Amino acid sequence: EIVLTQSPGTLSLSPGERATLSCRASETVSHRYLAWYQQKPGQAPRLLISGASGRVIGIPDRFTGSGSGTDFSLTISRLEPEDSAVYYCQQYGTLPLTFGGGTKVEIK
Amino acid sequence: QVQLQESGPGLLKPSETLSLTCVVSGYSISSGYYWGWIRQPPGKGLEWIGSIYHTGSTSYSPSLKSRVTVSMETSKNQFSLKLSSVSVADTAMFYCARGSSGYVENHFDYWGQGILVTVSS
């Protein structure tokens, strides 16, 4: 199965700063089938990005996904307090579907 | 607006069978898409368990395949999860979700709120 490794484990930044989250796959993710989710405490994951860079309708444009092959990233260009959450990547190019371990974004 | 709601017992003993149901509203599950189950142990990450298509076709995580059955009841617009021989390691929040396409290889665009299942003797 494709193992997704997310880094860093925790990111602590101030409002207005840029956050860059990494998701590295153990093998090529076919068709760039990589999604990003945001999960706040006590809530279900929320889909942000699909197809590596396709922002879901209603997601603010400060969230940008990029990458291909084995290296993907999620950038939050101007952090806001409500962006405090854990972010997960998921690959859906190959079964079994797998998720990364998550990156926690803390807002100072 | 597609909505999903999980239900089932929140406490099980080791060796019992976990049975959960996900009722879908706002969309007819017989119209298409894959419908899946994902779990999340307390404080940990997400794990895909399995998915089912409206035709009844299923796909399971290899690590759980021997213990998992996902089924659907289109007349009630719901699908279900059974996980046999549970242990303490199966304690988790269980989510049902809609796959984003008619392919099993998909991401999940709508999620239920989740149900916490605890396995304890």
Side-chain angles (χ1 to χ4, degrees):
Chain A
E1 71 177 44
I2 295 179
V3 176
L4 299 178
T5 302
Q6 291 189 242
S7 61
T10 302
L11 207 47
S12 185
L13 296 167
S14 299
E17 289 193 301
R18 171 191 294 255
T20 301
L21 288 64
S22 172
C23 177
R24 178 161 291 177
S26 60
E27 53 190 272
T28 294
V29 176
S30 61
H31 308 294
R32 300 177 74 229
Y33 282 170
L34 194 287
W36 288 94
Y37 301 86
Q38 176 193 67
Q39 186 178 36
K40 296 182 178 181
Q43 296 184 16
R46 174 195 182 195
L47 179 66
L48 301 175
I49 302 284
S50 64
S53 57
R55 195 180 306 114
V56 171
I57 293 173
I59 300 303
D61 60 8
R62 63 179 183 276
F63 290 90
T64 302
S66 63
S68 63
T70 60
D71 289 312
F72 299 86
S73 62
L74 175 69
T75 300
I76 311 172
S77 58
R78 301 170 302 279
L79 279 168
E80 297 193 5
E82 61 262 32
D83 298 333
S84 179
V86 179
Y87 294 81
Y88 293 97
C89 57
Q90 180 222 336
Q91 69 80 24
Y92 53 101
T94 304
L95 292 178
L97 309 177
T98 52
F99 293 85
T103 290
K104 184 176 184 178
V105 174
E106 296 178 339
I107 310 299
K108 294 178 182 175
Chain B
Q1 175 78 351
V2 180
Q3 293 184 313
L4 300 92
Q5 179 69 58
E6 306 88 348
S7 64
L11 182 62
L12 292 172
K13 293 184 179 347
S15 80
E16 292 184 333
T17 295
L18 177 158
S19 294
L20 298 177
T21 296
C22 180
V23 176
V24 180
S25 58
Y27 188 85
S28 172
I29 64 173
S30 60
S31 295
Y33 292 104
Y34 266 86
W35 302 87
W37 289 96
I38 300 100
R39 70 178 181 178
Q40 184 173 36
K44 295 189 177 181
L46 300 161
E47 179 184 23
W48 174 66
I49 300 170
S51 297
I52 187 166
Y53 194 45
H54 72 98
T55 58
S57 176
T58 55
S59 182
Y60 301 127
S61 169
S63 65
L64 296 169
K65 187 173 183 177
S66 63
R67 298 195 290 135
V68 171
T69 302
V70 177
S71 59
M72 65 175 19
E73 197 165 354
T74 54
S75 62
K76 295 183 178 180
N77 216 41
Q78 65 186 38
F79 60 106
S80 301
L81 168 70
K82 288 191 187 298
L83 179 66
S84 64
S85 304
V86 298
S87 69
V88 172
D90 292 310
T91 294
M93 183 74 79
F94 285 77
Y95 296 100
C96 60
R98 190 184 81 166
S100 57
S101 74
Y103 298 97
V104 65
E105 298 89 348
N106 54 36
H107 54 280
F108 299 97
D109 52 7
Y110 292 95
W111 295 64
Q113 64 184 27
I115 183 168
L116 179 62
V117 177
T118 301
V119 181
S120 175
S121 56

